[in-house]
């Protein structure tokens, strides 16, 4: 399912986006610093924020459309987020 949803994205970019996010991930962040880190990660990888978030969303949930990504990560917890993105 994940491969199908991200078939238009280079595997190297997927790995890079996940690694970039995990480098700055802090499960204690509220939504504002989390969003700043997302924007910085998108810029660092040369992609739009929406594309950066889409890669993470699909890696975490297997779906392109979900409720708020920050809320999903908060509900999943640190260990599950890290496991799915590594």
């Amino acid at each position: 399912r994940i491969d199908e949803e991200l078939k238009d994205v280079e595997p190297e970019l997927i790995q890079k986006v996940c690694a970039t996010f995990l480098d700055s991930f802090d499960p204690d962040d509220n939504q504002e610093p989390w969003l700043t880190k997302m924007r910085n990660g998108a810029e660092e990888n040369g992609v739009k924020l929406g594309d950066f978030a889409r890669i993470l969303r699909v890696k975490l949930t297997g779906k392109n459309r979900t409720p708020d990504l920050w809320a999903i990560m908060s509900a999943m917890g640190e260990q599950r987020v890290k496991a799915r993105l590594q």
Side-chain angles (χ1 to χ4, degrees), residues 45-59:
N45 284 277
V47 297
K48 295 178 183 176
L49 177 59
D51 294 331
F52 188 84
R54 177 178 164 245
I55 290 169
L56 297 174
R57 178 176 284 109
V58 172
K59 289 291 287 180

Side-chain angles (χ1 to χ4, degrees), residues 37-49:
K37 291 176 181 181
M38 292 284 287
R39 286 185 179 119
N40 292 342
E43 185 178 325
E44 183 179 323
N45 284 277
V47 297
K48 295 178 183 176
L49 177 59

Side-chain angles (χ1 to χ4, degrees), residues 18-86:
C18 291
T20 299
F21 177 79
L22 288 172
D23 283 346
S24 67
F25 177 59
D26 181 345
D28 295 326
D29 280 345
N30 65 32
Q31 198 164 10
E32 190 174 319
W34 175 86
L35 185 56
T36 298
K37 291 176 181 181
M38 292 284 287
R39 286 185 179 119
N40 292 342
E43 185 178 325
E44 183 179 323
N45 284 277
V47 297
K48 295 178 183 176
L49 177 59
D51 294 331
F52 188 84
R54 177 178 164 245
I55 290 169
L56 297 174
R57 178 176 284 109
V58 172
K59 289 291 287 180
L60 290 170
T61 69
K63 299 177 182 180
N64 268 315
R65 297 184 187 273
T66 65
D68 180 73
L69 188 55
W70 178 79
I72 288 171
M73 288 186 186
S74 295
M76 290 178 87
E78 179 180 11
Q79 297 306 322
R80 188 185 270 169
V81 168
K82 287 182 175 181
R84 290 190 183 186
L85 295 180
Q86 289 176 339

